[in-house]
Amino acid sequence: MAAGLGAWQLAWLAAAVFVVSAGYGALMPLLPAWLTPLMAADGQAEVARHVGLLSGLYAAGVLIGAPLWGLVSDRWGRGRILVIGLVGYIASLLPLLWPDWIGLAGIYASRGATGFFVAAVVPVVPALVAEHTPQDRRARRFAWLGAMSLLGFLFGPGLNAGAAQVSAALASTGAGALDPTDLVIVMSAALGGLMMLGLAATLPRVAPAAPEDDTLPASADRKRALALWGLNGAVMFVLAGFELGIVLQGQQHPTLSSREISLMFAECSLVMLGVNALLFFTGLLERAAGRGVMAAGLVLAIAGLAMLAQHRSDAWMYVGVSFTAAGTGLVLPTISYLAAGASRRRLGATMGGLAAAAGFGQTLGSAAAGWLFGAVAQLSFAWLALPLLATLGTLIVRPAWWSPEDPLPRSPRVPSDPLPQRHPQER
C-alpha cells in the first residue's frame, strides 16, 4: 500500500500545477509588448511571426523536457525533480524583466527554458500523486489535478488585469509608476517561489516501497504506455485543431463577433472544468471501466465536431462546442488515471511520455488545422473527427491495451517455492 499524501501535501502539489498553468496564460499575452520595442522597424506582421515561434519554442521545451524529467524522477526521486523544475521556472522568468538587455535571442532562450522546466512539474506531480495514493482514491485526485490546471489557465489572463490595477493603485499613492508587465513577471516568479518552498517543506522524504504484486512484465507495461501516449496525442491534436477552428469561424461567419468567440472559449474551459468536478464528486472512474468512459467521451466529442461541421446558426455552434469540450474533458483525465497504473519503476517515464505526446499532438494539430481550415473551411471539423473515430475503433478491437489489469497471464506460484515467481526482466 502506498504511503498516503496528507491534505496539505496534496494542496501544495495541486497549487504547483495551478501556478505553472497560470504563468503560461498570464505571460503569453505579454509577448507582443516585449517584442514591439525591439522590432519597431519590422512591423506588426513580423511581431506576430515571432509570437508564433515563441509559442512553438515553449511547446518544444515541454516536448523535450517532459520525458527526460519523468525518466530522471524514476531514478533520483520525484520531490527533488519538482523543486529543481520550480527553481528553473523562476530563473527563466526573471530575465524577462530586462528585455532590452537580453534582446530577442534572450527572450527566445527564456521561453524555451520556461517550457523545459515546466515539463519537470507537469508529469512529475501526477506521478508522485499516483505513487502515494491508494487506488480507491486515485481517480478523484487526478480529477482534482485536472481541475486545478484548467483553473490556472482561466486565472492567468486575470493576473494581467490584477497587475494593471495594482500598478494604477501604486501610481495614485505616489509610490511611482510600475510597468504592469513587470508586475506580472514578478508575481508569477513569486508564486513559483512560494510553491517551491511549500513543496520542499511538505513532500514525502521517502518513496513508498514497491508493492509485491508489481510484477507486470515490462513489455506489457510499455505496450499500454505507448497506447495511452498515442491516444493522448490524438485527442490533443483534435483539441488544438478544434480551438483554432473556433477562432477561424470569425472569418467564415461575419455575424460571429470576437466577444462570442471569447465566450465559446470560456464555455469550453468551464464545461471541461465541470466534467472534472463530476469525476471528482462521483468517483466515476473508480466505478466504471476506463475503456467505457473513454468510449463515451469520444462519442460525445465526435458528435460535437459533427454539429460544428454542419451548423447554420450560432446556437448550434455553442452546442457543438459543449459536446466536444465535454467529450475531451472525459477522455483526458481517464488517460491520466490509466497511466497512473503503470509500474512504479516506470511511472515517471510514463507520465513524461504522456505530457510529451500531448505537446506533440497540440503542435501538429495547430499546424494541420490552419492548413485544413484554409482548404475546406467549416467542414474541417468533420475531418478532425477522423482521429477520434480511429481511436474509438481501437477501444473496441484492442480492449487489453486499456485495461488497468495485467493483460498477460501470470506464472502461477508454486507452493513449495519460497520465492515468488518473477518475470525474467525483473530478476
Side-chain angles (χ1 to χ4, degrees):
M1 179 71 68
L5 289 170
W8 279 107
Q9 292 172 317
L10 184 63
W12 281 110
L13 288 166
V17 173
F18 175 89
V19 164
V20 296
S21 297
Y24 177 80
L27 293 172
M28 280 302 296
L30 301 180
L31 292 178
W34 289 321
L35 294 172
T36 300
L38 299 175
M39 310 176 65
D42 295 327
Q44 291 301 312
E46 190 68 9
V47 170
R49 184 175 74 87
H50 282 286
V51 169
L53 290 173
L54 285 167
S55 302
L57 187 61
Y58 179 94
V62 174
L63 183 63
I64 294 169
L68 175 63
W69 289 119
L71 188 64
V72 172
S73 77
D74 286 334
R75 289 160 173 75
W76 287 9
R78 317 224 188 270
R80 185 180 303 175
I81 297 303
L82 270 178
V83 173
I84 290 173
L86 287 167
V87 170
Y89 172 73
I90 297 164
S92 69
L93 292 179
L94 294 178
L96 295 173
L97 293 169
W98 303 279
D100 293 335
W101 182 65
I102 63 174
L104 185 61
I107 293 176
Y108 269 91
S110 175
R111 293 309 290 160
T114 300
F116 181 77
F117 285 108
V118 163
V121 178
V122 173
V124 175
V125 166
L128 196 147
V129 170
E131 189 174 52
H132 290 270
T133 300
Q135 189 169 356
D136 60 346
R137 285 185 284 168
R138 193 177 288 167
R140 291 173 183 251
R141 290 186 171 182
F142 270 71
W144 172 245
L145 290 179
M148 292 302 289
S149 178
L150 286 168
L151 283 173
F153 281 117
L154 289 172
F155 175 80
L159 195 61
N160 292 332
Q165 291 183 351
V166 170
S167 178
L170 290 174
S172 65
T173 60
L178 287 176
D179 189 343
T181 299
D182 290 345
L183 278 175
V184 171
I185 297 168
V186 170
M187 286 190 286
S188 298
L191 287 172
L194 180 62
M195 296 307 106
M196 179 191 67
L197 295 174
L199 289 171
T202 62
L203 282 181
R205 300 294 181 215
V206 180
E212 291 181 1
D213 62 350
D214 188 12
T215 56
L216 182 64
S219 59
D221 205 27
R222 197 173 296 114
K223 247 183 227 182
R224 186 181 305 151
L226 287 171
L228 291 170
W229 294 351
L231 175 55
N232 209 41
V235 174
M236 290 305 298
F237 175 94
V238 173
L239 189 58
F242 155 71
E243 291 176 343
L244 183 62
I246 294 175
V247 175
L248 296 177
Q249 287 300 287
Q251 298 176 354
Q252 306 292 331
H253 300 273
T255 59
L256 200 64
S257 66
S258 58
R259 177 179 174 275
E260 288 175 311
I261 291 173
S262 298
L263 285 174
M264 287 178 188
F265 271 101
E267 175 195 9
C268 181
S269 298
L270 290 173
V271 169
M272 294 182 77
L273 187 61
V275 169
N276 275 269
L278 175 70
L279 294 175
F280 178 79
F281 287 111
T282 64
L284 178 63
L285 294 179
E286 296 157 4
R287 302 167 186 266
R291 185 166 67 103
V293 176
M294 288 193 296
L298 290 171
V299 169
L300 272 175
I302 291 166
L305 291 170
M307 290 179 191
L308 289 168
Q310 299 296 328
H311 79 88
R312 293 293 181 268
S313 69
D314 294 349
W316 278 109
M317 191 171 181
Y318 279 104
V319 175
V321 169
S322 293
F323 272 55
T324 307
T328 54
L330 269 177
V331 174
L332 292 173
T334 308
I335 294 171
S336 297
Y337 172 69
L338 292 177
S343 165
R344 193 162 294 157
R345 291 182 295 274
R346 295 178 286 273
L347 188 55
T350 300
M351 291 298 183
L354 208 63
F360 186 65
Q362 196 169 11
T363 302
L364 281 183
S366 297
W371 172 82
L372 197 58
F373 276 90
V376 293
Q378 186 176 322
L379 287 176
S380 299
F381 287 114
W383 287 99
L384 285 174
L386 292 181
L388 301 185
L389 282 167
T391 303
L392 186 60
T394 65
L395 289 175
I396 298 169
V397 175
R398 298 284 186 180
W401 288 2
W402 320 102
S403 172
E405 303 297 331
D406 185 358
L408 300 179
R410 298 175 186 266
S411 300
R413 297 255 182 115
V414 179
S416 60
D417 189 349
L419 295 176
Q421 297 293 322
R422 293 187 180 273
H423 191 269
Q425 295 184 14
E426 297 179 342
R427 286 181 178 169

